[in-house]
Amino acid sequence: MKALLLAVGLSLITVLQAQDPPASGEDTMAMSGKWYLKAMITDRETSWKKPELVTPMTLTVLEGGNLKAETTLLTNGQCKEVELILEKTSEPKKYTTYGGKRVVYIEPTEVKDHYIFYCEGEMQGEQARMAKLVGRDPESNEEALENFREFLRAKGFNQEIFSPKQSDTCPPGTDQEPEV
């Protein structure tokens, strides 16, 4: 019996050591700065309007490892400033937002400076999932896009991937309203 407990205990230690180590402060700091939206997908097309244009997202690391994300979206001729706080959880790469109604996972891809933001939870009163591929530069990267497609297949997405236009600012002549 002691041998069995020892074997199980050692197996658990091995499994725990094989898991990803918790994200360090340096890893979180590396997320700070400007990120370009390369591609996105959601499984709730009917209640969600695709943006016609997006500005780069700015991520800021806050005290305690939380992240602040800021961007502007042009939808239906109106620019909307979006700011959200991603609250760090005890699980590496996992954050919550909107008072815990949404869970956001930030997953690195195999391509340097490219990440997938995967969100699930309540969106406009419905349960939904969304994924975004972001990168440090605005250029398209086929290898990162293929990593994104593989991630989407593994998550069971079958909707079409959308790549919005990029701009550093909202076009003149559009109304701008903040959305926090």
Side-chain angles (χ1 to χ4, degrees):
M1 183 65 164
K2 286 182 182 180
L4 179 61
L5 286 174
L6 179 61
V8 169
L10 289 174
S11 297
L12 284 173
I13 290 169
T14 304
V15 168
L16 290 173
Q17 287 176 340
Q19 291 179 350
D20 288 353
S24 69
E26 287 180 22
D27 293 339
T28 304
M29 289 304 292
M31 292 299 301
S32 273
K34 189 184 282 193
W35 293 91
Y36 293 88
L37 179 60
K38 307 283 186 108
M40 62 189 301
I41 192 169
T42 180
D43 64 355
R44 295 288 178 238
E45 293 291 336
T46 56
S47 64
W48 180 79
K49 301 283 185 205
K50 293 178 185 173
E52 300 153 34
L53 179 139
V54 296
T55 63
M57 173 178 61
T58 301
L59 278 181
T60 307
V61 178
L62 304 175
E63 198 170 313
N66 294 339
L67 298 172
K68 179 169 79 171
E70 300 172 280
T71 190
T72 302
L73 311 172
L74 175 65
T75 307
N76 294 331
Q78 283 199 324
C79 285
K80 293 187 182 195
E81 293 177 5
V82 179
E83 177 183 304
L84 23 126
I85 303 297
L86 302 172
E87 298 172 8
K88 184 179 175 182
T89 67
S90 60
E91 216 175 295
K93 303 182 249 175
K94 180 181 177 182
Y95 297 82
T96 61
T97 190
Y98 292 101
K101 291 182 181 179
R102 296 184 196 169
V103 177
V104 179
Y105 298 89
I106 301 176
E107 298 289 337
T109 67
E110 294 174 11
V111 178
K112 184 179 188 312
D113 291 334
H114 284 77
Y115 286 83
I116 296 170
F117 282 59
Y118 173 70
C119 176
E120 53 188 28
E122 185 182 316
M123 294 180 202
Q124 299 177 345
E126 301 175 17
Q127 288 299 308
R129 300 178 305 147
M130 178 184 289
K132 297 178 180 183
L133 173 65
V134 299
R136 284 287 187 188
D137 63 67
E139 305 305 316
S140 181
N141 183 303
E142 280 305 311
E143 186 180 354
L145 199 52
E146 186 53 38
N147 283 176
F148 187 56
R149 286 185 189 108
E150 289 170 14
F151 177 88
L152 297 176
R153 280 191 290 275
K155 292 289 186 186
F157 280 96
N158 57 11
Q159 293 79 7
E160 188 175 326
I161 296 173
F162 174 69
S163 296
K165 292 179 186 173
Q166 303 279 330
S167 176
D168 284 331
T169 60
C170 200
T174 55
D175 295 329
Q176 195 153 353
E177 62 181 61
E179 182 180 293
V180 178

